[in-house]
Amino acid sequence: MKPDFEDKLKNLPLGPGVYLMRDDKDAIIYVGKAKSLRSRVRSYFRRDQEGRSGRGPQIDKMISLISRFEVIITDSELEALVLENNLIKEYSPRYNTLLKDDKTYPYIKVTLGEEYPRVLFSREMKKDRSRYFGPYASAYAVRESIELINKLYQLRSCNRSLPREIGSGRACLNYHIKQCSAPCQNYATKEDYASRIRLAIDFLNGSYAQTLKDLQKKMTEASENTDYEEAIRYRDLYQSVEKVALRQKITDIDGEDKDILALATAEDESVVQVFFIREGKLIGREHFYMTHTAETAPSQIMLDFIKQFYGGTPFIPRELVLPEEIDDIEILEQWLSKKRGSRVYIKIPQIGAKEKMVELATKNASLILSQDKERIKREEGRTIGAVKEIASLLDLPAINRLEAFDISNISGFANVGSMVVYEKGKPKLSDYRKFKIKTVSGPDDYACMKEVLKRRLSHGTLEQARLDEKGLEKEFGSFTKFPDLILMDGGKGQVNIALQVLAELKIDIPVCGMVKDENHRTRGLFYQNEEIKINKNSEGFKLLTRIQEEAHRFAIEFHRSLRGKAQVKSVLDEIPGIGPARRKALMRYFKSIDEIKAASIETLSALPEIPESAAKVIYRFFRAGEIEES
C-alpha cells in the first residue's frame, strides 16, 4: 500500500457515496458505489500473505495501477447509484463492466395534444399529451409501420397548424396520391379524422382483425365495380397488414409492459438478451454486448447492464424479469420507479410462463454469443486490428480517430472537398463533412486542400475554446476533436500542404499520404518523407483502401449533386414566370428534370407554391420542344 493511502483510508466517511480510482496519468480507471465508503474502499487494499486481494487477477491489476482515489458523499444509496451510473457513462472507465452499444430506441408517437393528431417517429419520450408506442428494436420497422398507418387511415403528416389553417392553400401531394384525407381542406371532418386516429391506435395496440376485414370488403367492392387499380391498392395494403400481424407474436402472459432479460457469458465478453413485451405482445428483441466481464459474476454483469441501459432509455416497463437474484434490488426498484413515475417491480420467476420466457431468452443469448464469437473476431481484425497494424507501421503509440481528405472538380468547376472519419476502424458517418471551396477558382487541388484543412482544423484551436466556454460542444459534435492521424489522398505534395497548415496553426498531428500506382490504386504510404511499403494482403492495407475509396466517393457524390442542381436550375431559369421561390419548390419536390417533365398539371399545381396557371406554363414549356433533355 502506498504510504499516503493508510491515512486517507482511515478518514473515509462511513456513509454512502461513490469512489473513483485514478491511475498515474490521473485517468479514472474504475467507478463504484458503496453503502459504506470506508468499508468498501478499504476492502480493495486488504492483501493476503501472497499479496493478493482475493478478487481475481483483473482486480489485482487494477489495484496495482491506482495512483490515488477520491470519494463523493451522497445522502442515500439511491443517489449513489444515480451518480455512479452518470460517471460510468461519462468516463467509460477501463475496469468497469460497460454496455458496448449505447443505442437510442425509436418510438411511434401519436400527437393526441393536437386537434388533428399525427403519427410520428420519435427518438425520445416526453411528458406531453402524446401517446407513445414502443420502444422498438428497429428504426426501419417503425418508419415502415408509420408509412403503412398513413396509407391505411390517410392521416396528415404535415406541420400545418390545424384548425387555424384550414382552407389556406391547397391540398398537398399526399392527398392526390391517397395518403392523406386532407383535413386542411375540411375534406375530412374533425369527427371523421378522430375515428381514423382511433383505428390507428387500435392498430398500434395489435388489433388487426377489423382493419383486415375492412380492407377485404373494399378490395371486393372495387373489383366488382371493375376499379382494378383501386382493388390492387387495397390488396397491397391487406398483404402489408397481414405481414405485420404475423410478425407480432402474442405471449401467454398478462398484458403488462415488461422486459425479459437473460445473460450468456464467455471469456471477457457477455451478451444480454432483452425481449420487449408491451401490453402482452412481444414487439421485438435485442441483444447487447457487455465488455470487461472477465472474473465478474453473472449477477453483477446483469446489475451493471440494468443501471447503464435503463439509465439511458426514456421508457421503463412495469416489470423487469431476471434469471437470478441480483444485489440492490430494492434500490434499483426505487430508482426505476422514480424514472417511470409509477411502481416498477424486479421479479425472478421459478415456474410458469415468465420462467419459460427467461429460459427462451437465455437460449437466444447463448446462441448469439456462439454465433457472433468468430464474426466479432473477424470484425475486430478488419477494424481495431487493422488500425493497430497501421499504428505499428508508422511507429505511433495508438490510433483511434482517422480523418481522410479528398478534392473533386471538373476542370476547376464546382471545387469541393470531403472529409471522412473512421473511429476504431469503422466509419463515423455523423462526423463526415463536405466543403464548398470559397477561395479557389480553377483546377488547383493543392490550394483547395489547403483551404479545406484550414477550415477543418481551425475548429480545434481557438474555436474549440470558445465552444467549450459557451457549452456548445454538443451542438457542433465531435468536429472539434482532433484526429490521431490525418490521411491525404496523395503523396508528397498533399502531405506537405497538410504539414504547412498544421505548422501555421501550431498543431502537432501525424500526416500520412496514401500513394497510388499508375492504375490509381493504393500502393503504399508516404510518411516523414519516406514511402513505406505495406503488405497488400494485410487488414491494414485493406482498411486504407476502404478509407481512400470512401473519401473519393463522398467527394464525387457531393460534386455530382452540386452539378445536378446547377443544371436543373439553369433549365428552370428559362421557363417564363417561374421565379426563385417556384424554382426552389420544384427542385425540392422533384428529383430531376425528367420527373418535372413527366408531371401532370394536376401534380404540379398540387405544390403549395405553384398555382394552376404556373403549372400550365411549366407543362407546356416541356412539351413545346423549347429545350433539349438536360
Side-chain angles (χ1 to χ4, degrees):
M1 187 184 299
K2 293 179 173 61
D4 59 334
F5 276 15
E6 190 63 49
D7 290 338
K8 287 183 180 179
L9 290 169
K10 286 178 182 177
N11 294 317
L12 284 172
L14 291 169
V18 172
Y19 54 93
L20 299 86
M21 306 297 194
R22 294 180 179 267
D23 63 13
D24 58 358
K25 295 179 182 176
D26 214 35
I28 297 172
I29 59 175
Y30 188 78
V31 173
K33 73 168 184 64
K35 186 175 182 180
S36 169
L37 284 168
R38 183 184 298 179
S39 175
R40 175 63 63 85
V41 177
R42 284 178 68 89
S43 71
Y44 282 93
F45 301 100
R46 294 194 189 104
R47 301 280 177 160
D48 60 20
Q49 292 180 349
E50 297 178 3
R52 294 174 300 198
S53 68
R55 292 170 174 260
Q58 186 172 350
I59 298 299
D60 286 343
K61 175 66 175 174
M62 186 268 287
I63 293 169
S64 72
L65 296 175
I66 297 172
S67 178
R68 72 181 184 92
F69 62 84
E70 57 187 291
V71 298
I72 303 171
I73 301 169
T74 60
D75 288 333
S76 66
E77 281 188 79
L78 180 58
E79 285 185 15
L81 184 146
V82 174
L83 180 57
E84 176 202 34
N85 198 43
N86 290 338
L87 290 171
I88 289 172
K89 191 172 183 179
E90 177 72 21
Y91 295 106
S92 300
R94 61 184 289 194
Y95 284 100
N96 278 95
T97 300
L98 299 175
L99 177 59
K100 195 170 181 180
D101 297 310
D102 188 12
K103 299 177 182 176
T104 304
Y105 284 88
Y107 296 81
I108 293 177
K109 175 181 179 179
V110 185
T111 59
L112 295 179
E114 298 176 329
E115 288 194 47
Y116 292 84
R118 296 168 291 161
V119 178
L120 305 174
F121 179 98
S122 178
R123 284 279 182 187
E124 54 185 353
M125 192 173 179
K126 297 179 179 178
K127 290 184 178 179
D128 53 18
R129 294 172 62 192
S130 299
R131 183 164 176 186
Y132 292 84
F133 296 84
Y136 297 92
S138 167
Y140 174 77
V142 169
R143 289 191 173 95
E144 197 177 46
S145 296
I146 291 171
E147 184 180 352
L148 175 59
I149 286 166
N150 285 335
K151 284 180 180 177
L152 283 170
Y153 308 112
Q154 298 184 12
L155 304 176
R156 74 184 187 102
S157 57
C158 65
N159 292 322
R160 289 189 183 185
S161 179
L162 302 182
R164 183 169 57 84
E165 293 184 31
I166 287 179
S168 64
R170 294 188 303 279
C172 66
L173 280 174
N174 284 341
Y175 168 72
H176 294 285
I177 61 176
K178 299 183 178 180
Q179 288 190 21
C180 179
S181 54
C184 61
Q185 303 301 311
N186 217 18
Y187 295 162
T189 64
K190 189 173 181 179
E191 293 73 21
D192 175 38
Y193 194 85
S195 69
R196 293 171 186 268
I197 286 292
R198 283 194 296 272
L199 288 170
I201 289 173
D202 287 344
F203 182 90
L204 288 166
N205 280 326
S207 301
Y208 309 115
Q210 188 59 47
T211 298
L212 288 168
K213 186 178 177 180
D214 291 346
L215 288 171
Q216 178 72 54
K217 182 181 177 183
K218 290 176 181 177
M219 181 171 62
T220 303
E221 287 176 355
S223 181
E224 287 173 352
N225 294 330
T226 67
D227 190 351
Y228 298 118
E229 187 176 332
E230 194 73 352
I232 289 170
R233 189 172 75 86
Y234 286 127
R235 181 204 64 190
D236 292 344
L237 287 171
Y238 185 93
Q239 289 174 349
S240 296
V241 175
E242 256 192 338
K243 182 180 173 184
V244 172
L246 285 171
R247 191 168 61 214
Q248 195 152 61
K249 306 174 183 71
I250 305 297
T251 69
D252 60 352
I253 50 183
D254 57 61
E256 293 286 354
D257 293 340
K258 57 176 61 67
D259 288 353
I260 310 289
L261 285 71
L263 176 71
T265 61
E267 298 174 359
D268 190 31
E269 200 161 66
S270 302
V271 168
V272 176
Q273 176 81 50
V274 183
F275 286 175
F276 300 108
I277 295 174
R278 301 293 177 261
E279 298 186 357
K281 301 173 184 67
L282 177 63
I283 66 165
R285 62 178 185 174
E286 189 60 271
H287 62 273
F288 304 86
Y289 287 98
M290 301 292 288
T291 58
H292 307 163
T293 60
E295 304 165 26
T296 305
S299 60
Q300 182 62 45
I301 297 169
M302 184 63 77
L303 175 62
D304 290 334
F305 171 79
I306 291 171
K307 289 189 289 188
Q308 293 177 50
F309 178 68
Y310 293 101
T313 182
F315 182 83
I316 310 293
R318 183 175 172 78
E319 267 186 30
L320 299 187
V321 183
L322 310 183
E324 62 176 293
E325 292 280 351
I326 60 173
D327 293 335
D328 299 330
I329 282 184
E330 290 184 9
I331 300 298
L332 280 175
E333 285 182 336
Q334 286 180 43
W335 173 59
L336 293 168
S337 299
K338 189 176 180 181
K339 283 179 67 67
R340 177 181 165 87
S342 61
R343 183 67 192 274
V344 174
Y345 301 87
I346 297 176
K347 296 187 177 179
I348 298 88
Q350 303 300 319
I351 57 172
K354 292 179 184 177
E355 192 275 332
K356 288 179 181 176
M357 287 295 288
V358 170
E359 186 181 340
L360 181 62
T362 303
K363 288 179 180 177
N364 275 271
S366 299
L367 180 64
I368 289 162
L369 197 60
S370 62
Q371 286 179 341
D372 283 6
K373 196 172 180 182
E374 288 303 316
R375 182 189 61 79
I376 291 165
K377 284 183 178 178
R378 288 196 302 271
E379 180 65 19
E380 286 187 348
R382 292 179 70 250
T383 55
I384 296 172
V387 172
K388 286 180 179 177
E389 190 180 313
I390 295 168
S392 175
L393 196 69
L394 302 178
D395 198 24
L396 296 174
I399 298 173
N400 176 49
R401 183 181 174 95
L402 290 157
E403 292 182 5
F405 297 84
D406 194 14
I407 300 295
S408 179
N409 63 60
I410 295 179
S411 301
F413 169 73
N415 288 316
V416 298
S418 71
M419 177 184 99
V420 300
V421 180
Y422 278 62
E423 287 192 355
K424 295 181 181 177
K426 295 181 181 180
K428 190 174 184 185
L429 301 180
S430 61
D431 283 7
Y432 281 23
R433 290 294 184 274
K434 301 169 183 175
F435 300 85
K436 285 184 183 179
I437 304 302
K438 300 176 180 178
T439 62
V440 183
S441 58
D444 189 340
D445 283 3
Y446 286 175
C448 291
M449 184 61 77
K450 192 168 186 177
E451 180 190 321
V452 166
L453 289 170
K454 276 187 175 181
R455 286 166 59 186
R456 185 270 172 270
L457 293 169
S458 65
H459 280 278
T461 52
L462 293 175
E463 181 67 17
Q464 173 64 65
R466 288 195 292 271
L467 293 177
D468 290 343
E469 194 174 308
K470 295 177 182 178
L472 296 172
E473 308 92 323
K474 290 183 180 177
E475 181 182 338
F476 285 83
S478 53
F479 191 50
T480 54
K481 290 180 182 176
F482 278 152
D484 301 302
L485 179 66
I486 293 174
L487 292 169
M488 306 301 295
D489 186 44
K492 186 175 182 179
Q494 292 279 18
V495 169
N496 285 339
I497 289 293
L499 292 173
Q500 284 177 28
V501 173
L502 289 165
E504 287 176 25
L505 297 174
K506 297 180 181 178
I507 301 169
D508 184 19
I509 300 173
V511 181
C512 185
M514 296 180 285
V515 186
K516 302 166 190 170
D517 60 19
E518 59 276 5
N519 296 316
H520 209 72
R521 296 173 185 161
T522 306
R523 74 166 188 244
L525 299 174
F526 185 82
Y527 183 63
Q528 294 183 339
N529 279 322
E530 290 184 16
E531 185 171 325
I532 301 170
K533 290 185 179 180
I534 182 168
N535 183 352
K536 292 187 177 182
N537 295 318
S538 68
E539 292 296 345
F541 179 83
K542 292 173 185 175
L543 175 61
L544 288 168
T545 302
R546 290 197 298 273
I547 293 172
Q548 189 174 41
E549 289 173 353
E550 179 71 350
H552 190 58
R553 176 200 66 78
F554 195 53
I556 288 290
E557 283 187 0
F558 182 38
H559 188 263
R560 189 178 291 132
S561 72
L562 291 180
R563 290 203 324 267
K565 287 177 183 176
Q567 289 167 355
V568 170
K569 187 176 179 182
S570 66
V571 171
L572 298 180
D573 283 343
E574 299 178 29
I575 306 176
I578 303 302
R582 290 173 182 172
R583 283 199 300 269
K584 189 176 180 181
L586 290 168
M587 291 168 68
R588 183 168 63 248
Y589 284 100
F590 298 98
K591 295 179 181 177
S592 65
I593 284 292
D594 287 338
E595 283 194 14
I596 301 174
K597 281 184 181 181
S600 65
I601 293 174
E602 184 184 33
T603 302
L604 290 165
S605 63
L607 303 185
E609 301 87 348
I610 309 293
E612 188 175 351
S613 57
K616 288 178 180 177
V617 170
I618 297 166
Y619 183 83
R620 289 167 185 160
F621 176 79
F622 283 113
R623 283 156 183 78
E626 293 181 33
I627 62 170
E628 295 181 358
E629 188 169 311
S630 68

